[in-house]
Amino acid sequence: MHEQTNLVQIKNRWQTELIESVTSVEELIMRLNLSPKLLSQGQKAALKFQVRVPPSYIKRIRLGDPKDPLLLQVLPVREELKKNKNYLKDPLNELNHNPKSCVIHKYQNRVLLIVGSFCAINCRYCFRRHFPYSQQHQNREKWFSALDYITNRPEINEVIFSGGDPLAAKDSFLSWLTGRIAKIPHVKRLRIHTRLPVVIPSRIDDELLLWMQSTRLKPIIVLHINHPNEIDNSVKMSLRQLRKIGICLLNQSVLLKNVNDRSDVLISLSEHLYNCEVTPYYLHILDPVEGATHFHVDKARIKTVYSEMQTALPGFLLPRLVKEIPGELSKTIVSLND
Ligand code: SF4
């Protein structure tokens, strides 16, 4: 018992919060005063993709409301078990662009590194919910091989940390990897795709700020916020700390049925982001991943929502409406005339 207490003490606050995440449907339902009817169907879906929700995110979900937009992103439901031939395990064909362990290289000048093998939250619509992280062995030798891959390709000017959530990795490792990448002269930028500052805001601590400040690569953080209710005071404070040290903050959202497929919700999100000095960057059309059919928003609805956003928002607060088409050399901007 004494030993356990010491272990908790040497962990950073965010790591303790990570450990305290809810990983069972039963506990999630109980904590949120939801009907036990949701249990059996949810448990079956969770066998395919585990439930994981950190306590700080749970606090932002309304008690007893099965339609809460934050809850719908994390609660496993029966609909996930529906089969549809158009919804695939690897909807973006990433495993065909995986030249080395931990490396995904789809676009010429940018390479993505799978830095984190898990996330602090498991989003039910995630396009990597079936990704075989365990096959991407992440030991030092593999990392040196990934670094050689980048070194040998002078056309790569941007490295993207992804995952899983890259900020789920320890700062000492992130600092080591960033230091190695910074030695490759043709790499100009480091982009970090993360949901951690939103779901566990205490992740933005002094240690993390220190390694971000100490690299010649100017980190750009792409957050993933889908709904204005995800931005509470603790998130605002964390984002403020990042802005204080000059980190460029962008946000991408995924358009999700019953979560944010309303223009008033997305307009409010853009306004909240602006107040936190975050630029709304992309509004993604859902990638057709197996288990997420119930999040699909139909074309007519997308057109209505986005054209209402265009009318209400100035250009700099309007995220670009995009979708990813496997094999294309960049993301595809969606035209409302399509
Ligand atoms: S945080 Fe991102 S990568 Fe992780 S489960 Fe959610 S959507 Fe997927």
Side-chain angles (χ1 to χ4, degrees):
M1 182 66 200
H2 179 67
E3 209 176 301
Q4 258 186 355
T5 312
N6 281 342
L7 272 178
V8 170
Q9 277 168 354
I10 57 164
K11 286 193 185 305
N12 293 341
R13 192 176 134 208
W14 69 270
Q15 289 171 310
T16 309
E17 283 195 54
L18 194 60
I19 292 167
E20 288 170 355
S21 293
V22 169
T23 53
S24 87
V25 185
E26 195 173 9
E27 189 181 347
L28 187 62
I29 285 176
M30 193 191 68
R31 284 227 206 169
L32 290 168
N33 279 349
L34 293 165
S35 162
K37 279 185 201 156
L38 297 167
L39 187 60
S40 64
Q41 39 174 294
Q43 277 173 328
K44 270 187 205 148
L47 289 176
K48 303 222 166 209
F49 185 44
Q50 195 195 13
V51 69
R52 178 183 290 276
V53 198
S56 45
Y57 195 82
I58 291 178
K59 271 192 218 154
R60 292 170 243 167
I61 299 176
R62 290 187 293 261
L63 289 180
D65 181 359
K67 294 190 174 161
D68 180 279
L70 274 54
L71 175 74
L72 295 178
Q73 296 181 53
V74 295
L75 180 71
V77 292
R78 178 179 42 203
E79 285 80 0
E80 289 180 35
L81 303 170
K82 271 189 199 160
K83 292 275 180 210
N84 179 317
K85 67 176 174 31
N86 297 321
Y87 283 70
L88 311 171
K89 284 201 159 53
D90 178 16
L92 303 183
N93 200 15
E94 290 193 314
L95 294 175
N96 273 345
H97 297 88
N98 185 205
K100 283 186 180 289
S101 184
C102 318
V103 176
I104 295 179
H105 195 186
K106 287 189 285 192
Y107 304 143
Q108 198 185 16
N109 308 95
R110 311 178 285 284
V111 71
L112 189 146
L113 299 182
I114 300 286
V115 173
S117 56
F118 67 96
C119 293
I121 190 164
N122 281 350
C123 313
R124 308 313 299 176
Y125 52 83
C126 178
F127 72 94
R128 287 207 188 113
R129 54 179 283 166
H130 306 286
F131 192 83
Y133 289 108
S134 58
Q135 289 165 24
Q136 306 283 315
H137 302 293
Q138 290 168 305
N139 57 32
R140 284 280 154 123
E141 197 189 319
K142 300 278 178 185
W143 280 118
F144 280 120
S145 173
L147 289 163
D148 283 347
Y149 182 87
I150 300 170
T151 306
N152 294 332
R153 284 167 181 77
E155 68 276 16
I156 295 175
N157 59 22
E158 183 170 337
V159 173
I160 302 169
F161 282 3
S162 187
D165 198 312
L167 294 191
K170 287 184 185 158
D171 290 316
S172 53
F173 171 70
L174 292 168
S175 181
W176 174 82
L177 186 60
T178 308
R180 292 280 167 172
I181 295 168
K183 286 186 181 151
I184 306 172
H186 51 265
V187 177
K188 306 286 181 236
R189 287 180 300 277
L190 172 67
R191 195 172 356 141
I192 302 169
H193 280 233
T194 178
R195 197 148 151 73
L196 251 156
V198 181
V199 301
I200 304 183
S202 61
R203 177 64 184 97
I204 308 305
D205 59 11
D206 291 346
E207 230 174 303
L208 177 131
L209 294 170
L210 190 67
W211 79 257
M212 281 196 174
Q213 272 177 301
S214 58
T215 170
R216 80 157 173 89
L217 301 166
K218 288 188 176 164
I220 298 159
I221 292 191
V222 181
L223 299 157
H224 177 177
I225 307 175
N226 294 319
H227 195 282
N229 292 4
E230 290 179 316
I231 306 175
D232 68 0
N233 280 337
S234 57
V235 174
K236 283 182 196 162
M237 275 168 56
S238 289
L239 300 181
R240 199 172 302 141
Q241 282 179 290
L242 290 166
R243 286 296 300 131
K244 253 194 203 163
I245 63 160
I247 302 291
C248 170
L249 297 177
L250 306 173
N251 183 62
Q252 55 180 5
S253 310
V254 183
L255 194 53
L256 302 165
K257 188 172 180 182
N258 296 328
V259 172
N260 62 3
D261 59 334
R262 281 179 17 206
S263 59
D264 61 329
V265 169
L266 289 169
I267 291 164
S268 168
L269 175 60
S270 277
E271 299 285 359
H272 276 70
L273 292 169
Y274 175 71
N275 290 338
C276 299
E277 298 185 54
V278 180
T279 303
Y281 172 47
Y282 280 150
L283 177 61
H284 270 272
I285 292 178
L286 179 78
D287 297 315
V289 64
E290 190 182 296
T293 53
H294 55 299
F295 288 114
H296 171 79
V297 181
D298 66 46
K299 264 190 190 168
R301 179 105 196 119
I302 294 172
K303 278 188 184 182
T304 306
V305 170
Y306 197 70
S307 59
E308 285 171 6
M309 289 172 73
Q310 271 178 323
T311 308
L313 288 167
F316 61 92
L317 290 185
L318 184 72
R320 272 169 271 181
L321 181 65
V322 291
K323 65 178 170 188
E324 193 154 339
I325 302 173
E328 293 288 318
L329 296 177
S330 65
K331 288 196 197 295
T332 302
I333 305 278
V334 177
S335 158
L336 293 189
N337 303 322
D338 285 351

